[in-house]
Amino acid sequence: MESKKEDVRRKHIRLHMEGALTARDKVGVQDFVLLDAYTSESAFVDNLRKRFSKNLIYTYIGTLLVSVNPYQELGIYTVSQMELYQGVNFFELPPHVYAIADNAYRMMCAELNNHFILISGESGAGKTEASKKILEYFAVTCPMTQSLQIARDRLLFSNPVLEAFGNARTLRNDNSSRFGKYMDIQFDFQGIPVGGHIISYLIEKSRVVYQNEGERNFHIFYQLLAGGEEERLSYLGLERDPQLYKYLSQGHCAKESSISDKNDWKTVSNAFSVIDFTEADLENLFGIIASVLHLGNIGFEEDDQGCATIPDTHEIKWIAKLLGVHPSVLLEALTHRKIEAKTEEVICPLTLELSVYARDAMAKAVYGRTFTWLVNKINSSLVNKDFTGKTVIGLLDIYGFEVFDKNGFEQFCINYCNEKLQQLLIERTLKAEQAEYEMEGIEWEPIKYFNNKIICDLVEERHKGIISILDEECIRPGPATDLSFLEKLEEKVGKHAHFETRKLAGPKGRKRIGWMEFRLLHYAGEVTYCTKGFLEKNNDLLYRHLKEVLCKSKNIILRECFLLAELENRRRPPTVGTQFKNSLSSLLEILISKEPSYIRCIKPNDRKEPSKFDDFLIRHQIKYLGLMEHLRVRRAGFAYRRKYEHFLQRYKSLCPDTWPHWHGPPAEGVERLIKYIGYKPEEYKLGKTKIFIRFPRTLFATEDAFEF
Ligand code: ATP
Ligand code: MG
């Protein structure tokens, strides 16, 4: 078995060397640092294209993995592939997501430290698939004991549940994650996975009540209708046809994957049993899901005074039953608002428009908090208290930079998040480079790079940043609007070098900023945001009256989600922007203390098709993923570095002194070797344990001589 494995490995090494070095014109280089024209975006795209055309979807930039979504099964995720990558040095095999996983795992085991793997890219680029492959890799290759199989299975099965509740079909991706996810996989001192912990970020609640044409609500609604048992559906008062529900049919594609919905329901039901959900949990959970559907079907009418009424109380009765609330109290809360006067509470009727708003706010709040409850519940099933001194590998699957024709509050938050992560990446890469040079005793040559802290500050600085200005507008007494927010921005950050508003007409040929818009110059380029909806989304208001109803619900899950203490606390809860800012800052704290690996995913075309390589789209992503900047930082010093023994092992046949065996210290052997083949002093540096080669051409020449 071992020798067979060794044979395969050798074959791969040979193929890799051919691919990377001698046959590079055909299949490109497997590490971008070996590109001669490393500052040229065209050279970068050419290399990616060459490799993609040969189904080589992975390429490195040093230790960062670039992955292009193949949109087809390539047969590269088999158990034998996993075994191949196990315990092998990073550069001995072709680039693969398994190499990243294995490298992090081995370092963690050897040094007993914590790691994270940050996976980013735009929607549909393959982030979630990559994170699943990594999880599968650990599940298959890590040592395991019988008693810990449950922990492993729970880690694996948490995925289908979270995807059912947090993913949806969008125009960009049939299984798009509508939340950011960070998952710690915990290992004991023997490297056995023993538990985990998940943190979710900013679930897209607006999808619960509205979907664009061609898009769907979260999968779970359709799965429940398609696959749910007859008895369950009748208990929930639901029909099978999703078209009957307003919240499911606005995108006009409710029925498109009814077959897979039915199968997915089975997968999700099975996963629920693995992660320890009781029937009572499920009853409460689906009671909530069904209530959301009933809520969407409540029809409002207007009476003579212009106040909202609900003539047909059929849906109200179902919701009241499922959530354990009083129907008339719920009806009142959906059509009235409590206003606190000096000494008493006054109840005033809502207009039709405000009632619709209250209903949708209730659906969003209920779904959003239930999702958080679900994550907590999964976490309690992943906890393993028996193990102390655990080390972790964190997987971060988070939305990449987003630039659409119209960009709103969500894009603003997402792009701010990417701005922060980019800062971390550049700083860590620079630091790692510097640390390696210092360790190797090589003089550090400072690298010029763009520090995007200035943009992060513009967004997040206390009292002065955009989020603070937005919060101020949200709490200001008097009529604050999205427009007055924009005016405040102009007044307070209008002169900032990375900020523009509509007052500034763009130069000829550049898109002018329209009414209600501002533009940020992000590290990755310009993005124009429309302030429409910023205040409402940041406030995310749920009328107190409705909160009271939900706090008193008999549904156990809702009782945990809407605590009475929240009603007693008269202070405003933090806004969505501030909450996001705080959760990002905790995320960065989590990441800063760990060793990083990075995977950057690229979507090859907009049509979800295999073998289509859209140059324009790819260039765009290379820019937004900051890949050229990363390559520049990584290449500023030396293109290639290898431990002396590895270098010598490969090239010893080129020098009579080192062939067939060199018995002295490897460093001396390498020195002899490169002197013999004529390296010039400016082409290399010798460190304590590694040789550093400045230009790829030096290495290619050596490789060609070797082949000859
Ligand atoms: P989002 O931000 O919308 O969640 P994402 O980056 O997570 O997007 P995925 O859901 O991982 O994107 O991938 C989209 C689809 O692309 C998958 O459902 C799958 O069909 C295909 N895909 C992605 N990666 C691979 C791969 N390595 N091999 C084969 N198909 C893939
Ligand atoms: Mg995803």
Side-chain angles (χ1 to χ4, degrees):
M1 168 72 195
E2 257 324 287
S3 75
K4 189 170 160 231
K5 191 170 161 182
E6 196 46 44
D7 281 351
V8 181
R9 191 172 291 166
R10 279 182 193 287
K11 192 170 137 218
H12 271 274
I13 294 173
R14 194 164 47 76
L15 283 176
H16 139 60
M17 294 313 283
E18 281 168 11
L21 303 167
T22 47
R24 57 192 169 269
D25 286 344
K26 279 194 221 120
V27 291
V29 290
Q30 68 162 10
D31 189 336
F32 285 107
V33 295
L34 297 175
L35 280 180
D36 246 337
Y38 70 95
T39 52
S40 150
E41 196 180 271
S42 300
F44 196 102
V45 177
D46 283 346
N47 193 53
L48 214 53
R49 191 190 308 103
K50 274 183 202 161
R51 295 180 62 74
F52 187 70
S53 69
K54 298 273 185 296
N55 280 342
L56 300 169
I57 60 165
Y58 295 123
T59 311
Y60 292 130
I61 303 177
T63 52
L64 175 148
L65 180 74
V66 179
S67 159
V68 187
N69 184 349
Y71 280 121
Q72 58 180 315
E73 292 309 323
L74 294 177
I76 54 173
Y77 305 110
T78 57
V79 170
S80 59
Q81 280 279 311
M82 293 185 191
E83 284 168 353
L84 194 65
Y85 277 85
Q86 231 184 315
V88 176
N89 277 325
F90 206 74
F91 295 101
E92 284 181 34
L93 289 172
H96 200 294
V97 65
Y98 293 158
I100 298 284
D102 190 71
N103 192 52
Y105 179 75
R106 272 187 309 123
M107 303 251 286
M108 176 194 73
C109 291
E111 294 166 18
L112 289 179
N113 55 7
N114 298 318
H115 288 248
F116 70 84
I117 302 175
L118 193 163
I119 311 169
S120 59
E122 70 175 53
S123 179
K127 301 180 290 294
T128 302
E129 290 298 317
S131 78
K132 284 196 253 184
K133 305 286 185 249
I134 294 172
L135 203 59
E136 280 164 19
Y137 181 78
F138 292 140
V140 171
T141 61
C142 292
M144 181 52 55
T145 64
Q146 202 142 31
S147 63
L148 284 168
Q149 274 174 15
I150 296 179
R152 179 196 62 189
D153 290 349
R154 284 183 181 167
L155 275 169
L156 286 173
F157 282 86
S158 63
N159 248 339
V161 171
L162 280 181
E163 284 196 11
F165 285 78
N167 288 23
R169 178 201 162 115
T170 67
L171 289 177
R172 294 177 175 79
N173 182 359
D174 293 346
N175 182 33
S176 183
S177 323
R178 309 314 298 160
F179 66 108
K181 180 177 166 194
Y182 175 79
M183 179 186 207
D184 260 341
I185 310 165
Q186 300 160 341
F187 297 85
D188 74 353
F189 69 99
Q190 290 173 292
I192 301 177
V194 293
H197 186 82
I198 294 166
I199 306 174
S200 67
Y201 297 93
L202 211 69
I203 174 114
E204 185 193 40
K205 287 187 294 187
S206 55
R207 182 167 298 274
V208 177
V209 300
Y210 178 75
Q211 309 90 42
N212 287 325
E213 188 64 33
E215 302 205 343
R216 299 208 310 174
N217 209 321
F218 293 98
H219 296 322
I220 191 62
F221 293 108
Y222 308 90
Q223 292 170 355
L224 172 64
L225 298 187
E229 308 77 0
E230 252 351 294
E231 254 173 55
R232 191 186 294 277
L233 292 199
S234 78
Y235 172 80
L236 298 171
L238 296 177
E239 303 283 338
R240 289 237 179 258
D241 184 2
Q243 321 267 27
L244 296 173
Y245 299 97
K246 291 220 178 63
Y247 281 166
L248 302 187
S249 48
Q250 297 158 90
H252 301 108
C253 61
K255 274 204 143 161
E256 264 176 40
S257 39
S258 53
I259 302 166
S260 86
D261 286 330
K262 211 167 168 175
N263 289 335
D264 290 347
W265 169 261
K266 287 191 196 131
T267 312
V268 173
S269 301
N270 178 40
F272 269 127
S273 63
V274 175
I275 53 177
D276 218 15
F277 276 60
T278 63
E279 188 45 46
D281 288 331
L282 295 182
E283 203 170 284
N284 283 312
L285 184 58
F286 290 113
I288 294 173
I289 295 301
S291 298
V292 170
L293 294 181
H294 288 299
L295 259 177
N297 280 6
I298 293 177
F300 294 99
E301 281 182 13
E302 216 165 42
D303 67 9
D304 302 344
Q305 271 94 47
C307 304
T309 61
I310 302 175
D312 181 355
T313 54
H314 177 77
E315 307 289 356
I316 293 279
K317 285 180 189 140
W318 274 109
I319 302 167
K321 177 194 144 188
L322 296 169
L323 299 187
V325 298
H326 204 285
S328 56
V329 177
L330 175 64
L331 191 138
E332 187 190 65
L334 283 166
T335 49
H336 293 76
R337 192 177 169 187
K338 271 188 194 164
I339 296 179
E340 284 171 53
K342 270 185 193 130
T343 50
E344 52 177 351
E345 273 182 347
V346 184
I347 297 200
C348 49
L350 294 174
T351 60
L352 189 129
E353 199 187 336
L354 284 177
S355 275
V356 170
Y357 174 83
R359 174 198 68 185
D360 288 351
M362 173 170 161
K364 287 189 281 187
V366 162
Y367 194 87
R369 294 195 192 193
T370 302
F371 186 76
T372 309
W373 174 89
L374 194 69
V375 173
N376 292 339
K377 175 86 183 160
I378 291 175
N379 279 336
S380 57
S381 103
L382 295 179
V383 160
N384 197 331
K385 292 197 193 78
D386 298 341
F387 290 88
T388 49
K390 290 176 284 242
T391 50
V392 306
I393 296 182
L395 294 180
L396 183 63
D397 167 3
I398 202 139
Y399 10 67
F401 215 82
E402 281 188 356
V403 192
F404 302 141
D405 289 340
K406 272 229 168 306
N407 304 292
F409 182 68
E410 288 84 358
Q411 281 70 46
F412 172 75
C413 291
I414 287 172
N415 293 343
Y416 159 52
C417 166
N418 275 274
E419 207 63 76
K420 296 285 283 179
L421 293 170
Q422 174 70 6
Q423 198 181 22
L424 179 80
L425 171 101
I426 293 285
E427 274 184 9
R428 293 298 292 262
T429 311
L430 282 169
K431 235 186 235 161
E433 286 283 286
Q434 186 166 7
E436 174 150 48
Y437 290 166
E438 268 168 20
M439 213 162 64
E440 291 289 332
I442 286 179
E443 206 177 312
W444 166 248
E445 298 163 22
I447 299 167
K448 274 211 188 106
Y449 72 102
F450 170 61
N451 188 344
N452 64 342
K453 181 170 182 299
I454 181 167
I455 307 168
C456 295
D457 288 348
L458 169 63
V459 175
E460 68 183 7
E461 217 174 355
R462 278 184 74 182
H463 308 304
K464 290 194 242 157
I466 296 175
I467 293 178
S468 283
I469 298 170
L470 178 61
D471 281 1
E472 263 174 41
E473 277 305 278
C474 283
I475 55 171
R476 181 164 69 86
T481 61
D482 294 328
L483 183 61
S484 68
F485 161 58
L486 188 65
E487 283 164 356
K488 275 274 156 60
L489 283 182
E490 272 171 1
E491 183 191 317
K492 297 204 166 167
V493 291
K495 292 203 172 69
H496 195 286
H498 289 261
F499 182 91
E500 284 179 2
T501 60
R502 66 198 146 84
K503 275 193 179 154
L504 302 165
K508 250 192 183 162
R510 189 160 152 216
K511 198 179 150 225
R512 276 187 66 137
I513 300 178
W515 183 242
M516 295 278 277
E517 288 179 336
F518 68 93
R519 184 181 282 160
L520 286 187
L521 308 181
H522 286 285
Y523 78 87
E526 303 176 349
V527 185
T528 305
Y529 299 96
C530 178
T531 54
K532 195 163 174 288
F534 263 59
L535 255 68
E536 186 190 318
K537 286 178 179 160
N538 191 45
N539 258 329
D540 194 30
L541 207 65
L542 179 65
Y543 292 143
R544 186 177 171 80
H545 206 147
L546 277 171
K547 256 190 209 165
E548 280 175 12
V549 175
L550 294 168
C551 286
K552 290 174 191 151
S553 157
K554 292 204 174 59
N555 184 303
I556 305 289
I557 298 176
L558 279 196
R559 281 286 274 280
E560 286 179 31
C561 294
F562 292 88
L563 299 173
L564 277 169
E566 191 178 321
L567 287 178
E568 283 151 18
N569 183 357
R570 296 273 155 174
R571 281 176 50 196
R572 284 176 71 97
T575 60
V576 174
T578 295
Q579 276 181 46
F580 188 60
K581 182 175 115 178
N582 294 342
S583 61
L584 260 189
S585 122
S586 329
L587 173 66
L588 279 151
E589 261 170 46
I590 295 174
L591 299 182
I592 276 169
S593 61
K594 298 182 168 66
E595 293 301 316
S597 306
Y598 302 96
I599 302 176
R600 298 295 214 213
C601 300
I602 292 182
K603 183 161 76 168
N605 61 72
D606 263 338
R607 289 182 294 181
K608 305 169 188 167
E609 281 178 26
S611 314
K612 286 244 156 34
F613 190 93
D614 179 337
D615 272 38
F616 180 76
L617 200 74
I618 286 172
R619 274 175 191 270
H620 188 81
Q621 292 169 77
I622 289 172
K623 189 168 160 210
Y624 288 142
L625 289 169
L627 294 182
M628 297 310 294
E629 179 81 346
H630 184 80
L631 176 57
R632 223 174 48 75
V633 170
R634 196 62 181 63
R635 250 303 293 271
F638 299 88
Y640 177 94
R641 60 204 71 177
R642 269 305 173 277
K643 285 222 179 279
Y644 289 126
E645 47 271 39
H646 294 153
F647 190 84
L648 195 60
Q649 180 61 26
R650 175 140 185 93
Y651 300 112
K652 62 184 180 185
S653 62
L654 296 178
C655 166
D657 290 353
T658 51
W659 175 258
H661 298 294
W662 171 256
H663 295 290
E668 272 175 34
V670 169
E671 228 175 324
R672 281 274 178 98
L673 173 68
I674 57 175
K675 214 167 181 182
Y676 184 80
I677 55 178
Y679 277 20
K680 298 194 181 73
E682 68 275 14
E683 286 181 322
Y684 69 94
K685 277 218 160 82
L686 297 176
K688 285 191 183 122
T689 69
K690 288 180 186 170
I691 172 168
F692 289 75
I693 297 179
R694 201 177 287 279
F695 315 108
R697 60 170 188 270
T698 312
L699 183 76
F700 292 149
T702 314
E703 188 61 29
D704 290 344
F706 173 77
E707 280 291 312
F708 181 75

